[in-house]
């Protein structure tokens, strides 16, 4: 899948994978790849700036956690992030319905072409 296909939807993807609980950056990348069955491969240079921006907007919070000697920053949704995720899902549904109706048209009953 083309990298630009994610553009405009990255925030929703990140919020969605964090809905189930806190994750560190590489786990977020792995979750997106797993959920997309390998179709989406996000790069660290893409997600970390986005995670930082979402945190500045108050949609995520972060904390440092240690795994052995390794220190990792874990991100989790805030209440505002959950609210924004709900809006992202609604917008995605409306978008896919509109695009689907153009790409796969089915004339509604009583509609003459």
């Amino acid at each position: 899948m083309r990298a630009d296909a994610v553009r405009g939807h990255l925030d929703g993807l990140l919020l969605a994978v964090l809905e189930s609980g806190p994750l560190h950056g590489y786990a977020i990348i792995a979750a997106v790849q797993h959920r997309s069955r390998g179709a989406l491969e996000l790069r660290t240079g893409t997600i970390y700036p986005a995670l930082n921006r979402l945190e500045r907007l108050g949609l995520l919070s972060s904390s440092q956690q240690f795994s052995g000697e390794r220190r990792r920053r874990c991100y989790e949704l805030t209440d505002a992030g959950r609210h924004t995720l709900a809006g992202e899902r609604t917008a995605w549904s409306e978008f896919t319905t509109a695009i689907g109706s153009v790409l796969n048209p089915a004339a509604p009953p009583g509609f003459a072409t």
Side-chain angles (χ1 to χ4, degrees):
M1 187 169 289
R2 294 187 326 249
D4 64 342
V6 174
R7 189 173 300 135
H9 305 289
L10 180 61
D11 291 359
L13 294 172
L14 297 176
L15 295 173
V17 297
L18 289 166
E19 183 177 32
S20 60
L23 294 171
H24 58 81
Y26 288 108
I28 293 168
I29 291 169
V32 169
Q33 187 173 15
H34 176 74
R35 286 188 184 189
S36 70
R37 295 180 179 92
L40 300 175
E41 292 185 32
L42 301 179
R43 301 187 191 291
T44 57
T46 300
I47 70 149
Y48 285 110
L51 291 169
N52 290 329
R53 181 176 44 75
L54 293 171
E55 187 173 17
R56 281 193 312 274
L57 292 171
L59 304 180
L60 300 178
S61 63
S62 70
S63 61
Q64 299 233 352
Q65 297 184 355
F66 292 90
S67 174
E69 293 184 20
R70 183 172 222 164
R71 183 178 58 166
R72 294 181 171 170
R73 180 164 296 281
C74 288
Y75 298 88
E76 64 183 313
L77 287 181
T78 62
D79 288 340
R82 289 183 197 290
H83 179 74
T84 298
L85 176 57
E88 290 281 338
R89 285 185 169 135
T90 298
W92 177 254
S93 178
E94 292 170 354
F95 176 76
T96 57
T97 297
I99 296 298
S101 67
V102 173
L103 293 178
N104 300 310
F111 183 78
T113 55

